[in-house]
């Protein structure tokens, strides 16, 4: 009788141990940590203190007056810029140097010089027009529209460069495939 109880206890402990290890392995496989799950509401307004810029060097003070949609767009631009610069670093690591195109030069100038200048101007305009008369509201609306156009332009330019990067990589893969296929026979 005691042997059966001992076997039952060992079986129960083993089942619990293996079940727990399996549960942890499942969580690890899908990339979550048990007990560390936090909910992130993507529709909630962004907090400037929670935003981490990977590549853009922007004055957080100048971002205070921006609406949420423009902050999100700046985050998208930052992520795309990070991808693009990672690709450029990969090329450098492979000792492949490509000439800087006019598109790349203009985009670099927009991102690192003109964008911070525009954000500073927008911030100062928003601070100056603290009274609510119609002229100031029109100026704020126009400034917001101009800033939005610049952000859209920058994002479109980045999208085009990323698309060119994808096309170039795909072309290199095709060339390598053709090379390998030509030497198989």
């Amino acid at each position: 009788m005691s042997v059966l109880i001992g076997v039952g206890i060992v079986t129960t402990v083993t089942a619990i141990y293996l079940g727990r290890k399996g549960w942890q392995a499942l969580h690890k496989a899908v990339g979550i940590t048990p007990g560390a799950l936090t909910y992130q509401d993507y529709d909630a307004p962004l907090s400037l203190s929670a935003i981490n810029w990977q590549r853009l060097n922007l004055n957080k003070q100048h971002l205070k007056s921006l609406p949420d949609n423009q902050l999100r767009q700046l985050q998208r631009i930052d992520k795309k810029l990070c991808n693009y610069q990672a690709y450029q670093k990969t090329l450098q690591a492979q000792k492949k140097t490509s000439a800087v195109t006019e598109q790349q030069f203009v985009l670099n100038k927009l991102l690192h010089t003109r964008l911070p200048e525009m954000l500073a101007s927008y911030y100062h305009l928003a601070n100056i027009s603290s009274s609510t008369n119609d002229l100031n509201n029109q100026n704020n609306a126009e400034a917001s529209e101009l800033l939005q156009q610049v952000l859209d332009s920058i994002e479109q330019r980045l999208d085009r460069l990323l698309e060119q990067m994808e096309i170039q990589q795909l072309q290199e893969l095709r060339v390598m495939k053709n090379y390998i296929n030509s030497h198989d026979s």
Side-chain angles (χ1 to χ4, degrees):
M1 183 72 169
S2 63
V3 174
L4 287 176
I5 292 174
V7 170
I9 291 173
V10 169
T11 304
T12 304
V13 169
T14 304
I16 291 172
Y17 176 77
L18 291 176
R20 182 174 176 182
K21 286 296 184 185
W23 185 251
Q24 290 173 347
L26 174 68
H27 280 80
K28 187 175 183 179
V30 296
I32 58 175
T33 305
L37 186 61
T38 57
Y39 174 73
Q40 184 174 2
D41 184 7
Y42 292 104
D43 295 330
L46 291 176
S47 167
L48 286 178
S49 60
I51 297 176
N52 292 323
W53 302 106
Q54 297 175 11
R55 298 289 185 218
L56 291 177
N57 187 15
L58 302 173
N59 186 340
K60 287 194 176 192
Q61 184 74 20
H62 296 160
L63 301 175
K64 287 183 178 179
S65 57
L66 292 179
D68 195 54
N69 64 329
Q70 289 179 340
L71 283 174
R72 289 184 192 282
Q73 188 171 18
L74 279 171
Q75 275 191 314
R76 282 195 315 269
I77 289 171
D78 187 54
K79 287 178 185 174
K80 290 176 183 181
L81 180 61
C82 186
N83 290 338
Y84 181 72
Q85 288 181 344
Y87 169 71
Q88 292 297 326
K89 284 184 182 180
T90 302
L91 287 180
Q92 289 174 355
Q94 296 173 353
K95 307 286 190 227
K96 293 180 181 179
T97 55
S98 60
V100 175
T101 65
E102 183 180 354
Q103 283 181 315
Q104 292 169 325
F105 178 79
V106 169
L107 181 66
N108 191 44
K109 186 76 167 177
L110 282 171
L111 286 168
H112 299 292
T113 306
R114 300 297 178 233
L115 180 60
E117 288 173 357
M118 286 195 73
L119 290 172
S121 295
Y122 183 81
Y123 170 76
H124 293 302
L125 180 66
N127 281 343
I128 290 171
S129 59
S130 58
S131 62
T132 59
N133 62 30
D134 289 338
L135 180 61
N136 286 339
N137 287 338
Q138 286 177 335
N139 289 344
N140 283 341
E142 182 181 358
S144 183
E145 185 178 324
L146 290 171
L147 183 61
Q148 185 61 50
Q149 289 173 357
V150 168
L151 291 176
D152 290 342
S153 174
I154 290 172
E155 191 168 16
Q156 289 169 358
R157 289 171 188 264
L158 255 174
D159 287 340
R160 282 194 297 265
L161 281 175
L162 288 171
E163 185 179 340
Q164 288 174 357
M165 177 183 75
E166 287 178 16
I167 291 170
Q168 182 180 358
Q169 291 300 308
L170 185 60
Q171 184 62 31
E172 286 181 17
L173 284 172
R174 288 179 182 145
V175 167
M176 290 302 273
K177 180 190 171 285
N178 289 338
Y179 175 79
I180 291 171
N181 287 344
S182 69
H183 286 82
D184 275 345
S185 42

